[in-house]
Amino acid sequence: MQLGELEKQVLQYLWETEVADAKQVYAYFEKRRGGSLNTIQSTLDRLFKKGLLKRDKQGHAFQYQAAIERDTFIGQLIKGLTSEFNADKGNSLLAAFTSVSPEFNEDQLERLEQIIEDQRDKNKSDGSV
């Protein structure tokens, strides 16, 4: 899935803020990058149509929030990108991961080990292994 720069920034803002209407999003970005309320409303609508935002009508305005967690979204992007370059998704994901793993610090490596162990435990309890 391709996202424009403003779409990425708005999504990041909503991950941090959790819920906001178009005027709140506009007020935040007006100070940082300029633009119009109409541009923000269009961006929110595009993100909603892409399934990345949820919205709930409150009075005359929609309240927006992320429809997907940040880590899940990043994982989907990585899977999608690696599958575009190689039909063997498992190996391409591992290759992509190993190409960036030298940049990890000790804390990140320990966290990764814990995530892997948790996934192994989950696979065992699900009977996936």
Side-chain angles (χ1 to χ4, degrees), residues 83-105:
S83 69
E84 289 177 17
F85 289 98
N86 189 337
D88 186 359
K89 295 176 186 162
N91 285 337
S92 61
L93 276 173
L94 290 174
F97 174 76
T98 56
S99 72
V100 297
S101 62
E103 299 174 22
F104 293 167
N105 64 36

Side-chain angles (χ1 to χ4, degrees), residues 118-129:
D118 291 348
Q119 187 60 49
R120 282 187 177 132
D121 291 345
K122 183 178 182 278
N123 287 352
K124 287 177 187 173
S125 68
D126 292 347
S128 308
V129 176

Side-chain angles (χ1 to χ4, degrees), residues 27 50 54 63 118:
K50 290 178 181 182
K54 296 185 277 187
Q63 294 289 316
D118 291 348

Side-chain angles (χ1 to χ4, degrees), residues 102-117:
E103 299 174 22
F104 293 167
N105 64 36
E106 193 60 32
D107 288 342
Q108 290 169 319
L109 290 171
E110 286 178 19
R111 178 69 182 122
L112 180 60
E113 285 177 345
Q114 185 60 53
I115 292 169
I116 291 169
E117 190 60 36

Side-chain angles (χ1 to χ4, degrees), residues 6 36 46 48 81 87 116 122:
L6 181 57
S36 69
R46 278 194 312 277
F48 171 74
L81 183 62
I116 291 169
K122 183 178 182 278

